[in-house]
Amino acid sequence: MKMFFVIYATEADDVVISAFKKAGFKAYTKMCGLMGEGEASDPKLGTHYWPGTNNSLWLAVSDDRIGLLCDLVRKLKEEHPRANLRAFTFPLEEQCV
């Protein structure tokens, strides 16, 4: 299992969520209003000087579906370059207590 983490400009929220759902990825956790600085984009700090924020999605997926998500993000990056999408994966273990 992997945790798939994607971060993107808040303005692209509808496009990103719709694309993930259309591709069959309906279970996610969304975080809104994230601020920070990236290597390839302007800072998004929610201020007058550096306006804007980011959102992120967290998806727990099986290893065999990671490739589909990567392809989806590549497509979205190509179609919506101003969304500044970045994606990462992490190993994931579900812990039941």
Side-chain angles (χ1 to χ4, degrees):
M1 227 61 208
K2 298 262 193 261
M3 178 60 72
F4 189 84
F5 170 69
V6 62
I7 189 163
Y8 56 92
T10 299
E11 296 79 12
D13 194 57
D14 290 339
V15 169
V16 172
I17 297 284
S18 295
F20 274 67
K21 286 184 175 182
K22 184 177 179 182
F25 297 98
K26 298 177 182 175
Y28 61 86
T29 297
K30 178 176 157 182
M31 298 175 80
C32 300
L34 303 172
M35 294 179 266
E37 298 182 39
E39 292 179 4
S41 63
D42 289 334
K44 292 195 178 210
L45 303 175
T47 66
H48 177 71
Y49 194 76
W50 295 112
T53 58
N54 290 312
N55 289 348
S56 69
L57 298 179
W58 297 80
L59 296 89
V61 297
S62 59
D63 291 349
D64 63 326
R65 299 192 77 201
I66 291 295
L68 297 171
L69 282 168
C70 290
D71 290 344
L72 176 60
V73 168
R74 281 187 204 98
K75 181 181 175 189
L76 285 168
K77 285 177 81 163
E78 186 178 305
E79 293 174 357
H80 304 280
R82 296 190 66 207
N84 295 320
L85 278 94
R86 294 293 304 262
F88 307 89
T89 61
F90 307 92
L92 179 68
E93 281 185 45
E94 184 177 9
Q95 298 292 323
C96 299
V97 215

